[in-house]
Amino acid sequence: MRGAVMHAPGDVRTEQRDDPKIIHPTDAVIRLAATCVCGSDLWPYRGIEPVTRPTPMGHEYAGVVEETGSGVTSVKPGDFVIGSFMASDGTCEICQAGYQSRCAHVEPVGPNGAQAEYLRVPLADGTLVATHGQPDPDLIPGLLAASDVLGTGWFGAVAAEVRPGKTVAVVGDGAVGLLAVLAARELGAGRIIAMSRHEPRQKLALEFGATDIVTERGDEGVARIKEMTGGYGAHSVIEAVGTQESMMQAIRSARPGGHVGYVGVAHGVQLPGEELFFAEVHLLGGPAPVRRFLPDLISRIENRSIDPGKVFDLTLPLDQAAEGYRAMDERRAVKALLQP
Ligand SMILES: [Zn+2]
């Protein structure tokens, strides 16, 4: 099969890879209908995470079950399925509590390389969720978004305790931040402040339900949020970047007693204990337990009440994966969809 492989920072090639096979009885192999490049794929692409050997890329997937192991009972060949970037058994106490991304038997899907024609998904029963019949082709981008960016933005909003009528600030205007705006709207937020300085992204944020745009960042951004909330700060803040600056911006934008949901993968973030102590805010974050939200998200996409597929502003054949990375790295694209 064909698949995208990163050889070094800045060097992604679509090349011949071995066809995935069932290794464990709990595995499934799926034929991808669509896959995509993630903002987190840019960390190694930019050399911020090391690339020590040729690495199959991609952890977002939607497609049709091709084959299942002998122990798989919840999905069958021919089913259209979506799963999270973290495979989970669905049965341990952590999964049962809704934190499937930290399952006691968790297995990241990424090392199997979802930017490809086929993908082996471990722990298929706990991981994959089938759609209600074959989806219309125009729904596939949205379903693919549910695999990570929508599920992650949604978790950010849930972790930030977004509630009807509350004021929500979103730090970060990548795909996750934009879809966190959409999640906040769906969860009934009264006011949604998107922090973005890029015009096309501001436009999408407004389409997804943002009521206000703040272009300032850092301390100036915090001051703007305070000004807009009677000096209090937002009830809920979603952090979707993962840098020191964005994390502090998020914590400082929340009011005492408020909630911060942080879903940007932290890179070099260090929290000052004394400031945190006196901030008196709730913090919850981590790799999103996307699996918790998938059945609900799939239904919302199927009944067309949400269209998260709009985050894909570039569609390329899988063979041009390298251009997808380049376009996202240069911020010419929010998110690139790859067609196997
Ligand atoms: Zn588990």
Side-chain angles (χ1 to χ4, degrees):
M1 68 165 184
R2 309 281 291 162
V5 176
M6 189 177 292
H7 288 259
D11 181 6
V12 174
R13 304 174 207 167
T14 304
E15 55 192 38
Q16 207 62 31
R17 289 182 47 208
D18 291 339
D19 289 343
K21 292 191 169 48
I22 301 290
I23 298 175
H24 304 293
T26 47
D27 290 346
V29 169
I30 67 172
R31 179 165 41 82
L32 291 155
T35 178
C36 51
V37 182
C38 185
S40 64
D41 295 332
L42 296 180
W43 294 105
Y45 187 81
R46 291 170 170 161
I48 298 165
E49 282 172 13
V51 185
T52 51
R53 60 192 160 73
T55 307
M57 296 300 293
H59 55 263
E60 295 157 283
Y61 55 96
V64 177
V65 176
E66 187 82 1
E67 193 186 347
T68 55
S70 56
V72 176
T73 58
S74 70
V75 296
K76 57 183 188 311
D79 287 350
F80 193 99
V81 293
I82 298 110
S84 162
F85 50 90
M86 292 295 205
S88 51
D89 60 16
T91 56
C92 76
E93 290 189 21
I94 310 297
C95 283
Q96 292 289 305
Y99 290 86
Q100 293 92 336
S101 48
R102 294 300 317 279
C103 170
H105 302 104
V106 72
E107 206 177 310
V109 176
N112 298 347
Q115 290 161 10
E117 291 178 273
Y118 295 91
L119 175 72
R120 181 179 70 87
V121 180
L123 303 171
D125 276 341
T127 304
L128 296 173
V129 180
T131 55
H132 304 89
Q134 296 299 314
D136 292 335
D138 68 315
L139 293 182
I140 289 175
L143 294 166
L144 173 64
S147 174
D148 181 356
V149 281
L150 173 61
T152 295
W154 202 276
F155 174 58
V158 168
E161 300 272 343
V162 172
R163 294 276 186 274
K166 300 292 185 187
T167 295
V168 181
V170 180
V171 180
D173 62 2
V176 170
L178 292 168
L179 289 169
V181 168
L182 179 133
R185 182 193 70 193
E186 292 295 302
L187 295 169
R191 192 171 188 193
I192 304 170
I193 306 166
M195 306 188 84
S196 168
R197 46 176 57 183
H198 301 269
E199 212 172 310
R201 295 171 190 232
Q202 294 171 358
K203 208 173 138 244
L204 200 47
L206 292 169
E207 259 181 72
F208 281 152
T211 54
D212 302 83
I213 302 284
V214 164
T215 54
E216 294 88 345
R217 55 164 68 169
D219 290 344
E220 286 173 24
V222 173
R224 278 292 292 142
I225 299 289
K226 290 271 171 71
E227 210 179 285
M228 294 166 78
T229 53
Y232 293 124
H235 297 98
S236 299
V237 184
I238 301 157
E239 191 284 332
V241 183
T243 61
Q244 182 71 25
E245 186 189 38
S246 64
M247 189 67 180
M248 294 318 299
Q249 187 177 322
I251 291 169
R252 291 169 182 159
S253 296
R255 64 178 60 191
H259 292 77
V260 177
Y262 57 101
V263 291
V265 182
H267 282 74
V269 175
Q270 293 198 311
L271 300 182
E274 196 176 330
E275 181 176 347
L276 201 54
F277 182 81
F278 285 102
E280 203 136 6
V281 297
H282 304 252
L283 297 180
L284 174 61
V290 172
R291 177 64 182 80
R292 188 204 307 177
F293 308 108
L294 275 180
D296 175 40
L297 299 180
I298 289 170
S299 294
R300 289 174 193 256
I301 294 163
E302 286 177 331
N303 68 28
R304 296 180 185 274
S305 67
I306 57 173
D307 185 8
K310 282 184 191 164
V311 289
F312 295 106
D313 54 352
L314 178 64
T315 298
L316 295 166
L318 175 63
D319 274 330
Q320 291 174 34
E323 168 56 17
Y325 278 80
R326 253 196 314 276
M328 284 175 61
D329 179 44
E330 294 165 8
R331 293 182 74 93
R332 285 184 280 119
V334 175
K335 196 165 175 66
L337 184 142
L338 303 175
Q339 288 175 322

